[in-house]
């Protein structure tokens, strides 16, 4: 499947457009020989989120290596199908050669994958995925269920396997969040002295996490620990603990390794972080798409890829700080 792609059309939206084009390598049409330069579209969950910024860094580096054009578009600050779908539709309208997608909802984004299939555009999902993965070239993600288990194990150890804990989640539709919650709650069952007193969703808005944690601290003044399942939930939780003067009393396990999270880990506000490898996920997604389109190394493409996490603590930072998410 070879298409020459020359015009990039923005999405008409009421809000700000998060749009980036990385033109890498040479256009063979201009040189008069060789393979056409491929254009791969990449639609993240939230373009401004540090996790997806790190993913963009990895994608741009891989695009340069592969000599392809990377078209990066995403909603700037809202994690929802409503904000994401116009960007996906734009990619399909422009007939990109391949699409990398971070679905904000497994069902709501399924029709987009069906449209891509009708247009013969291969799709790889990263981080999250869709309900029916049969058409996907690959579904690439971190080990989210295991990450939830790791969070529970670490928290249990830090609070002496006894006390009340709270689960501060992100989006109820994100498959990653769902798996982290499941892993966390399953693992907690191994510790009869620990009571899970509640769960709330921040919907990827730190202020909502702050409000939820403020409320739980009032209801449960002896709370021993919190698991924040993503970076934005963690940021809001940190603010609540600081406001309540309980940053030294409540153990906080975070997910992801944003700059501010690692700084707060060093300051003792987080007691541990479960870090992913967003750049590696993005790079593998591009490699798999290029190999599929060019019909090369196809036997080595894995349909489902789960990448291991890294648990960061102050005790092991010398070895794990390298997993802090890059932003440029």
């Amino acid at each position: 499947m070879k298409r020459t792609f020359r015009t990039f059309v923005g999405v008409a939206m009421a809000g700000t457009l998060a749009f980036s084009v990385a033109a890498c390598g040479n256009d063979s049409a201009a040189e008069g020989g060789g393979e056409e330069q491929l254009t791969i579209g990449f639609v993240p969950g939230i373009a401004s989120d540090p996790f997806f910024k790190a993913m963009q860094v990895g994608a741009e580096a891989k695009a340069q290596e592969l000599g392809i054009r990377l078209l990066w578009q995403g909603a700037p600050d809202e994690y929802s199908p409503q904000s994401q779908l116009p960007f996906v539709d734009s990619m399909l309208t422009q007939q990109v050669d391949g699409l990398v997608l971070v679905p904000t909802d497994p069902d709501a984004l399924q029709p987009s994958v069906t449209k891509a299939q009708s247009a013969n555009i291969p799709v790889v999902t990263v981080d999250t995925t869709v309900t029916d993965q049969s058409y996907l070239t690959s579904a690439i993600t971190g080990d989210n269920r295991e990450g939830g288990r790791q969070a529970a194990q670490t928290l249990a150890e830090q609070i002496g396997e006894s006390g009340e804990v709270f689960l501060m989640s992100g989006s109820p539709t994100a498959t990653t969040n769902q798996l982290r919650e499941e892993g966390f709650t399953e693992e907690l069952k191994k510790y009869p002295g620990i009571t899970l007193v509640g769960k709330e969703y921040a919907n990827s808005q730190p202020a909502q996490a702050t409000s939820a944690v403020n409320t739980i601290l009032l209801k449960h003044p002896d709370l021993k620990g919190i698991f924040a399942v993503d970076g934005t939930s963690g940021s809001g939780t940190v603010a609540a603990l600081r406001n309540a003067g309980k940053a030294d009393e409540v153990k906080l396990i975070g997910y992801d390794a944003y700059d501010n999270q690692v700084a707060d880990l060093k300051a003792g506000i987080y007691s541990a972080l479960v870090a992913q490898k967003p750049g590696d996920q993005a790079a593998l997604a591009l490699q798999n798409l290029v190999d599929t389109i060019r019909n090369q190394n196809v036997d080595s493409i894995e349909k489902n890829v789960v990448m291991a996490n890294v648990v960061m603590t102050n005790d092991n930072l010398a070895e794990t700080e390298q997993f802090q998410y890059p932003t440029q």
Side-chain angles (χ1 to χ4, degrees):
M1 177 174 56
K2 302 288 179 65
R3 284 188 283 271
T4 302
F5 185 86
R6 302 186 183 282
T7 304
F8 300 108
V9 182
V11 181
M13 299 183 69
T16 303
L17 174 66
F19 179 93
S20 175
V21 178
C24 307
N26 297 315
D27 191 334
S28 63
E31 294 187 348
E35 292 182 306
E36 282 186 7
Q37 186 180 43
L38 301 176
T39 296
I40 304 298
F42 202 126
V43 182
I46 302 179
S48 60
D49 186 278
F51 175 80
F52 295 115
K53 284 289 188 183
M55 193 170 276
Q56 184 177 5
V57 171
E60 289 177 349
K62 190 65 176 181
Q64 183 70 40
E65 175 191 327
L66 294 171
I68 63 174
R69 285 193 184 98
L70 175 68
L71 178 58
W72 178 280
Q73 291 184 8
D77 54 17
E78 181 183 348
Y79 188 96
S80 72
Q82 292 78 14
S83 62
Q84 186 179 44
L85 282 168
F87 295 97
V88 181
D89 289 342
S90 175
M91 294 290 189
L92 298 178
T93 298
Q94 295 174 72
Q95 293 188 311
V96 292
D97 293 292
L99 177 65
V100 184
L101 178 62
V102 182
T104 52
D105 184 289
D107 296 321
L109 272 296
Q110 189 70 58
S112 297
V113 174
T114 302
K115 290 179 184 177
Q117 182 176 9
S118 297
N120 199 30
I121 298 173
V123 179
V124 171
T125 59
V126 291
D127 190 40
T128 53
T129 192
V130 289
T131 304
D132 180 3
Q133 300 172 29
S134 58
Y135 177 68
L136 300 181
T137 297
S138 290
I140 302 168
T141 188
D143 197 340
N144 293 288
R145 188 184 299 276
E146 178 61 20
R149 292 193 185 104
Q150 290 170 311
Q153 292 163 1
T154 303
L155 184 57
E157 179 181 344
Q158 292 178 348
I159 65 174
E161 300 185 7
S162 177
E164 297 179 333
V165 300
F166 177 65
L167 178 55
M168 186 65 251
S169 195
S171 167
T173 62
T175 54
T176 49
N177 287 182
Q178 293 167 2
L179 290 170
R180 292 169 200 170
E181 292 174 25
E182 290 171 8
F184 183 76
T185 54
E186 288 169 2
E187 191 67 21
L188 278 189
K189 293 175 182 177
K190 298 178 181 179
Y191 304 97
I194 297 177
T195 302
L196 180 63
V197 296
K199 174 180 71 174
E200 294 291 344
Y201 291 99
N203 297 301
S204 298
Q205 299 297 322
Q208 292 188 34
T210 300
S211 177
V213 174
N214 284 339
T215 299
I216 206 70
L217 290 174
L218 290 173
K219 290 182 177 179
H220 298 273
D222 296 325
L223 191 74
K224 291 287 189 68
I226 298 174
F227 172 39
V229 305
D230 61 16
T232 50
S233 298
S235 297
T237 300
V238 167
L241 292 176
R242 280 179 167 149
N243 292 341
K246 291 201 170 187
D248 294 332
E249 299 175 25
V250 179
K251 298 296 183 182
L252 173 59
I253 310 296
Y255 217 99
D256 292 319
Y258 300 178
D259 288 349
N260 65 323
Q261 288 180 294
V262 175
D264 286 337
L265 174 64
K266 292 177 180 178
I269 299 170
Y270 283 103
S271 55
L273 296 171
V274 181
Q276 303 182 80
K277 301 170 184 174
D280 291 350
Q281 291 182 33
L284 182 59
L286 294 186
Q287 184 68 65
N288 286 354
L289 280 176
V290 169
D291 285 348
T292 297
I293 295 165
R294 291 181 172 159
N295 195 29
Q296 61 189 24
N297 305 316
V298 291
D299 291 340
S300 64
I301 296 174
E302 294 184 48
K303 179 76 171 182
N304 293 288
V305 179
V306 178
M307 294 189 179
N309 310 301
V310 177
V311 178
M312 302 173 64
T313 67
N314 270 319
D315 292 335
N316 68 10
L317 266 181
E319 296 80 33
T320 62
E321 194 168 4
Q322 62 179 304
F323 295 101
Q324 180 173 336
Y325 297 169
T327 56
Q328 59 182 7

